[in-house]
Amino acid sequence: QVQLVESGGGLVQAGGSLRLSCSASGRTFSSYNIAWFRQAPGKEREFVAAIRWSGGSTYYADSVEGRFTISRDPAKNTVYLQIDSLKPEDTAVYFCAADSRSMMVVNKSPSYWGQGTQVTVSS
């Protein structure tokens, strides 16, 4: 079992940038694929981006491609989500998730979740 801890959220003005981090405790990410999701107030949780730990292939929701970048640092056992050109509609709780099964699974129903980190974008 892997435990996920997100960090890096905060309050930022529109147009700014943030880098969210997701660290694993208990075991390394080497057997997992990792995804980021977000949930805005009153809305359902939605997939944002995912990365295949082995090889580093990345996938993005159409709504964020070009502004969001997911990456990994094997030495730190950490996954990052770089968010640029932030918009007020990016305001949400951002969750890191992981699953040892396929990318299709991690993009839709991953087994392990972090507690989330709040991102608030002011206009």
Side-chain angles (χ1 to χ4, degrees), residues 30-53:
S30 61
S31 301
Y32 295 88
N33 297 312
I34 299 91
W36 285 94
F37 290 73
R38 67 183 180 183
Q39 186 166 20
K43 295 188 177 181
E44 293 186 354
R45 189 156 50 190
E46 64 172 345
F47 167 78
V48 172
I51 188 165
R52 189 187 304 272
W53 189 261

Side-chain angles (χ1 to χ4, degrees), residues 65-76:
E65 191 154 15
R67 295 192 300 119
F68 287 32
T69 304
I70 189 171
S71 62
R72 76 203 196 294
D73 185 340
K76 296 183 178 179

Side-chain angles (χ1 to χ4, degrees), residues 55-100:
S57 300
T58 58
Y59 305 86
Y60 296 94
D62 290 343
S63 59
V64 305
E65 191 154 15
R67 295 192 300 119
F68 287 32
T69 304
I70 189 171
S71 62
R72 76 203 196 294
D73 185 340
K76 296 183 178 179
N77 202 38
T78 299
V79 170
Y80 301 101
L81 184 69
Q82 176 73 33
I83 311 175
D84 297 318
S85 303
L86 276 156
K87 305 175 181 180
E89 51 263 43
D90 293 322
T91 295
V93 178
Y94 284 72
F95 297 90
C96 175
D99 202 287
S100 60

